């Protein structure tokens, strides 16, 4: 994935979830590494990674309350 596109996705997730950009960027990077390791098809990786990060952030927020 191109760096600019990843940055836009991270910014959107940070805004949507009201989470600091640095946290979302770190989570996105880690999830991308996990999902792309050994992946043959990369076409939908952005969607899958974004979904996982969003779900993880919701879980963290829910657990914090």
């Amino acid at each position: 994935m191109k760096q600019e596109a990843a940055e836009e996705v991270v910014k959107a997730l940070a805004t949507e979830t009201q989470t600091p950009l640095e946290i979302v960027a770190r989570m996105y990077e880690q999830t991308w590494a996990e999902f792309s390791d050994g992946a043959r098809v990369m076409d939908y990786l952005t969607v899958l990674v974004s979904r996982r990060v969003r779900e993880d952030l919701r879980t963290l927020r829910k657990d914090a309350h």
Side-chain angles (χ1 to χ4, degrees):
M1 176 179 210
K2 295 191 180 206
Q3 185 67 26
E4 300 84 27
E7 289 174 6
E8 290 302 315
V9 171
V10 168
K11 285 179 189 176
L13 284 169
T15 301
E16 176 186 330
T17 61
Q18 298 178 349
T19 305
L21 190 63
E22 298 79 24
I23 292 172
V24 176
R26 187 169 42 248
M27 290 177 75
Y28 191 90
E29 210 172 282
Q30 291 170 346
T31 306
W32 181 273
E34 177 186 332
F35 279 33
S36 64
D37 184 38
R40 290 180 168 175
V41 179
M42 306 289 271
D43 294 346
Y44 301 105
L45 210 51
T46 302
V47 174
L48 297 173
V49 170
S50 298
R51 184 178 295 159
R52 170 60 63 86
V53 170
R54 185 179 293 111
E55 289 171 1
D56 289 349
L57 287 167
R58 283 186 186 143
T59 300
L60 287 173
R61 190 173 298 269
K62 193 181 296 182
D63 291 346
H65 288 108

